[in-house]
């Protein structure tokens, strides 16, 4: 599972580097998804990119073995999220002001820095908020504002 992130060729790793510029976040996430899909199991991909979380499943385990399987899956989920968070942080370039700021924001939030999928969602959410705000401002601009 962690090998999904550790075994990437250096060329691919370099291609997936994110500069931290919010207007490019959705494109970066799509590239990341496309590049990782063939390298991940269906379960790993579902956790990372499709929002699957076994902890949210109501488990009505009828046997002790089913309960143990569920607990093991939850433990794997936690390990994957931690490894993915470290992987995503390694892809964000700290050489740009935007990348450095983004990394600082992610590290400052304990709920984000322990979850790779939460990081991805947060990065894209920041993009949406900024885009909507800018669009909203431009929509209300009149010729009076341009004088």
């Amino acid at each position: 599972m962690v090998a999904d992130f550790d075994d990437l060729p250096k060329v691919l790793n370099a291609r997936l580097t994110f500069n931290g510029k919010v207007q490019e976040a959705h494109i970066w996430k799509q590239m990341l998804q496309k590049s990782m899909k063939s390298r991940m199991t269906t379960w790993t991909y579902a956790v990372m990119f499709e929002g699957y979380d076994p902890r949210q499943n109501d488990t009505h385990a009828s046997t002790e073995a089913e309960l143990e399987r569920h607990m093991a899956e939850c433990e794997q989920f936690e390990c994957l999220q931690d490894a993915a968070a470290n992987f995503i942080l390694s892809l964000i370039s700290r050489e740009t002001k935007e990348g450095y700021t983004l990394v600082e924001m992610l590290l400052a939030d304990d709920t984000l820095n322990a979850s790779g999928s939460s990081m991805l969602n947060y990065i894209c959410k920041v993009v949406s908020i900024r885009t909507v705000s800018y669009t909203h401002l431009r929509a209300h601009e009149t010729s009076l504002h341009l004088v």
Side-chain angles (χ1 to χ4, degrees):
M1 158 179 52
V2 176
D4 294 328
F5 304 117
D6 294 339
D7 295 341
L8 288 178
K10 289 184 182 196
V11 173
L12 181 59
N13 226 353
R15 200 176 94 214
L16 291 175
T17 299
F18 179 52
N19 61 16
K21 296 186 179 180
V22 293
Q23 63 271 24
E24 298 173 18
H26 286 293
I27 295 167
W28 173 70
K29 184 179 178 184
Q30 288 172 350
M31 258 181 30
L32 186 61
Q33 284 178 286
K34 187 176 181 178
S35 299
M36 297 303 288
K37 187 164 187 149
S38 64
R39 299 174 182 283
M40 294 179 156
T41 65
T42 304
W43 182 84
T44 303
Y45 189 85
V47 167
M48 281 302 303
F49 299 110
E50 297 172 347
Y52 176 70
D53 184 347
R55 299 170 306 176
Q56 294 179 352
N57 292 348
D58 249 351
T59 181
H60 300 312
S62 57
T63 66
E64 192 169 318
E66 286 178 2
L67 182 60
E68 285 178 21
R69 257 193 310 273
H70 178 73
M71 290 173 64
E73 182 182 20
C74 291
E75 190 175 314
Q76 281 184 313
F77 173 84
E78 298 288 337
C79 290
L80 174 63
Q81 289 293 353
D82 188 50
N86 290 327
F87 173 67
I88 290 167
L89 285 172
S90 76
L91 293 177
I92 301 172
S93 172
R94 286 141 177 98
E95 293 178 16
T96 65
K97 182 176 83 171
E98 297 89 350
Y100 181 82
T101 302
L102 180 59
V103 169
E104 292 298 311
M105 287 173 23
L106 293 170
L107 290 174
D109 188 328
D110 289 339
T111 58
L112 291 176
N113 66 38
S115 171
S117 58
S118 293
M119 277 186 187
L120 285 174
N121 292 333
Y122 175 80
I123 291 167
C124 290
K125 182 180 177 185
V126 168
V127 173
S128 298
I129 290 169
R130 289 187 182 172
T131 303
V132 169
S133 298
Y134 177 75
T135 304
H136 180 77
L137 290 174
R138 296 291 298 184
H140 292 287
E141 191 174 76
T142 66
S143 58
L144 295 173
H145 294 103
L146 301 174
V147 176

